[in-house]
Amino acid sequence: PHYPPEIQAETTLINFTVTMMGLEDQLLNLVVEKERPDLAALSEDLVQQQNGFTIKMQELEDNILSKLASAEGDITEDVALIEGLEETKKISDDIERQSTLAKKTQADI
């Protein structure tokens, strides 16, 4: 729709268009919920787990950036920083493996 500039400047248009993929996912979830409540619960747990992974990865990224920003001198000689980066890498790899497994399980559902 076309609105005059003074209305466009004071409002925000939100597109609530529903996609076929979105409808398909919603209908599939409803069918699974009716026919296999155990799979629906597992699917919900996987979604929550994925959200937790996303949050944890963001925290790790912020932590790395904070450590790098506050590092003084030659960062290659900062043992605590390097150990922290290695630990973050291990956690990140573990999250990636679990995330891949969760995506596979979600696709199987």
Side-chain angles (χ1 to χ4, degrees):
H2 181 69
Y3 296 101
E6 56 274 0
I7 291 178
Q8 287 181 0
E10 296 179 19
T11 60
T12 300
L13 294 177
I14 300 173
N15 183 357
F16 287 104
T17 305
V18 178
T19 64
M20 289 299 290
M21 183 72 132
L23 280 176
E24 186 178 306
D25 286 343
Q26 288 179 17
L27 290 173
L28 179 62
N29 286 337
L30 289 174
V31 169
V32 169
E33 203 171 286
K34 280 283 190 192
E35 293 182 3
R36 297 284 307 271
D38 57 323
L39 288 180
L42 177 61
S43 177
E44 186 175 321
D45 290 344
L46 290 174
V47 168
Q48 289 179 355
Q49 186 181 40
Q50 287 296 105
N51 290 340
F53 289 159
T54 302
I55 292 168
K56 183 65 174 174
M57 291 297 285
Q58 185 63 45
E59 289 172 355
L60 291 173
E61 182 180 320
D62 291 345
N63 189 16
I64 289 171
L65 292 175
S66 172
K67 286 181 180 180
L68 288 173
S70 64
E72 295 179 5
D74 188 7
I75 61 172
T76 60
E77 294 177 7
D78 189 345
V79 176
L81 175 65
I82 292 172
E83 288 174 350
L85 291 173
E86 288 173 357
E87 182 65 26
T88 300
K89 175 72 172 149
K90 288 177 189 174
I91 294 170
S92 175
D93 288 344
D94 186 43
I95 287 174
E96 189 65 34
R97 279 192 301 277
Q98 291 178 4
S99 180
T100 301
L101 180 62
K103 287 177 183 176
K104 182 183 179 301
T105 304
Q106 186 71 31
D108 291 344
I109 292 174

